[in-house]
Amino acid sequence: MRRILLLSWFLAVAWLLLAAGRVEAQEAEALVSSNPPYPLLINGKEAQRQPASAPLGAQVCVAKKTDYTGEVERYVFKGWRDGPDTECITVTEAREYQAIYASEVLLQVRSKLKPYARSLWVPRGSLNRLEVPEVVEQEPGSRFRFEEWTGGETPFSPENIVAAVR
């Protein structure tokens, strides 16, 4: 009976030592993902799911910097959470790395006066101050008077704040 208990104890200890050795033998890995879940390249190969595992020392890159989801909407790569803004990084620690994309919308100011017409990408949901002169002299005897904006908080004033949501 003692032999059986001793053998059982010995086998249990040996199994624990082997299991611990297997855990130590596994390579440390990092988890990589992006928001939204756009493709990532790990050592040049596209990750099939997210979050994905990447061995330490692996190069991880975003597959696209800009993704247009419509004529006036896009996502733009801004950088890695708690890291650089480069398209590729080398994972050096067993932690989570996330590529951050910002949602942007196209803000357009249309005007018959070309110096006041403009088009720019702004963060979705941002408040944007727009201002134009109330009267613009184009040439002697010809002037333009501000009429209205097509939206915003004060559409009938030359100064306006527009929320960029669409």
Side-chain angles (χ1 to χ4, degrees):
M1 182 69 168
R2 273 188 175 176
R3 282 186 190 164
I4 294 174
L5 285 174
L6 188 58
L7 184 61
S8 297
W9 181 84
F10 178 75
L11 289 173
V13 169
W15 182 83
L16 285 172
L17 289 173
L18 284 173
R22 267 189 256 136
V23 169
E24 287 178 21
Q26 290 178 351
E27 287 187 36
E29 293 185 332
L31 289 177
V32 294
S33 63
S34 70
N35 87 323
Y38 286 136
L40 294 174
L41 304 174
I42 301 173
N43 289 332
K45 295 181 182 174
E46 188 172 323
Q48 297 303 309
R49 60 180 172 76
Q50 287 189 30
S53 295
L56 295 186
Q59 183 184 51
V60 179
C61 301
V62 295
K64 54 170 89 171
K65 284 191 75 164
T66 304
D67 182 43
Y68 291 86
T69 57
E71 290 181 13
V72 296
E73 299 175 355
R74 70 182 186 178
Y75 283 92
V76 177
F77 172 71
K78 294 298 184 181
W80 296 89
R81 176 174 287 147
D82 304 324
D85 60 359
T86 58
E87 292 177 52
C88 296
I89 59 168
T90 300
V91 295
T92 57
E93 300 175 38
R95 65 176 181 90
E96 193 169 332
Y97 295 83
Q98 187 176 43
I100 303 297
Y101 285 81
S103 177
E104 296 181 341
V105 295
L106 186 62
L107 177 63
Q108 294 181 328
V109 176
R110 299 184 186 276
S111 174
K112 290 180 182 176
L113 297 172
K114 295 299 178 196
Y116 298 101
R118 60 182 183 259
S119 178
L120 61 149
W121 289 97
V122 297
R124 178 184 297 282
S126 64
L127 294 177
N128 299 273
R129 177 174 292 285
L130 303 173
E131 185 176 349
V132 294
E134 190 161 349
V135 177
V136 174
E137 298 278 341
Q138 188 168 21
E139 55 188 56
S142 173
R143 66 181 180 179
F144 285 86
R145 180 175 291 283
F146 170 80
E147 191 172 312
E148 68 180 289
W149 301 96
T150 58
E153 292 182 4
T154 54
F156 304 107
S157 169
E159 296 177 18
N160 195 4
I161 295 177
V162 176
V165 293
R166 57 183 167 97

